Amino acid sequence: MVQAWYMDGSAEDQRKPHRLEPDRPVTEQQLSELGVHAFKLDADSYETDPELAKIRKENNYSWMDIITIHKDTLPNYEQKLKIFYEEHLHLDDEIRYVLEGSGYFDVRDKEERWIRISMKKGDMITLPAGIYHRFTLDENNYIKAMRLFVGEPVWTPYNRPADKYDARTKYLQFLEQKA
Ligand SMILES: CSCCC(=O)/C(O)=C/O
Ligand SMILES: [Fe+2]
């Protein structure tokens, strides 16, 4: 099960866990009410895993690549990390599957509080179009992740404020229905 918790408001190193004190864990059920879904897969067998193949088929995740985020391998490493950690949304779902290493996805809850989701080897996550979020490496400074997409990928991040986009309006409607 993926681990998630409410964050403290400290401006300390973004790579630290930033757990609120006292701890306020967030369950997968709470995440799913925000439209965020988490799965556990066998990352050692990703090339032949029938479970991954089924998820891709059922959700039309026809496109995929693998990104390795490490200072020695990713061009413009510092700049990219900065972009990933700016609060933003996308017009499409963001789907990531951790093959090695670890990192954090942060998402806003209905009251705009940050929830930190700890992603480790074998964790897959889907973030809905229109949700405000960000990503950071953790203190291990390394992640290798599969990026999945329906059709040709569009990576554009729309930094907050991005409320004028249809994807945002639809996401807010989704949250309303859940309330
Ligand atoms: C772990 S993949 C890098 C983060 C990313 O691709 C993204 O779009 C963050 O919002
Ligand atoms: Fe993103």
Side-chain angles (χ1 to χ4, degrees), residues 104-157:
Y104 297 124
F105 274 98
D106 301 336
V107 297
R108 291 280 191 190
D109 80 354
K110 289 177 192 166
E111 279 80 39
E112 303 275 10
R113 294 168 299 200
W114 280 117
I115 294 172
R116 175 151 280 193
I117 305 165
S118 170
M119 297 285 296
K120 293 185 189 301
K121 181 175 175 177
D123 290 329
M124 177 183 271
I125 196 167
T126 66
L127 306 181
I131 192 172
Y132 282 122
H133 68 280
R134 63 190 181 190
F135 171 81
T136 180
L137 289 174
D138 62 18
E139 290 168 293
N140 296 315
N141 289 312
Y142 170 65
I143 197 167
K144 178 176 168 184
M146 184 181 291
R147 307 189 292 183
L148 297 134
F149 211 87
V150 179
E152 277 304 300
V154 182
W155 305 122
T156 317

Side-chain angles (χ1 to χ4, degrees), residues 67 69 84 88 90 94 96 105 133 135 145:
I67 182 170
I69 305 178
F84 291 151
H88 65 272
H90 304 282
E94 177 163 327
R96 300 289 184 269
F105 274 98
H133 68 280
F135 171 81

Side-chain angles (χ1 to χ4, degrees), residues 69-107:
I69 305 178
H70 183 270
K71 66 177 171 37
D72 299 337
T73 57
L74 188 68
N76 304 316
Y77 170 78
E78 293 293 348
Q79 189 194 346
K80 287 200 178 119
L81 286 182
K82 233 172 138 185
I83 291 170
F84 291 151
Y85 203 59
E86 278 288 322
E87 181 173 3
H88 65 272
L89 59 74
H90 304 282
L91 308 186
D92 302 279
D93 293 357
E94 177 163 327
I95 306 117
R96 300 289 184 269
Y97 174 26
V98 182
L99 304 178
E100 289 175 12
S102 51
Y104 297 124
F105 274 98
D106 301 336
V107 297

Side-chain angles (χ1 to χ4, degrees), residues 30-37 126-128 131 171 174-175 178:
Q30 286 171 288
L31 291 177
S32 84
E33 283 165 19
L34 299 174
V36 174
H37 300 286
T126 66
L127 306 181
I131 192 172
Y171 179 65
F174 163 82
L175 289 183
K178 288 265 167 191

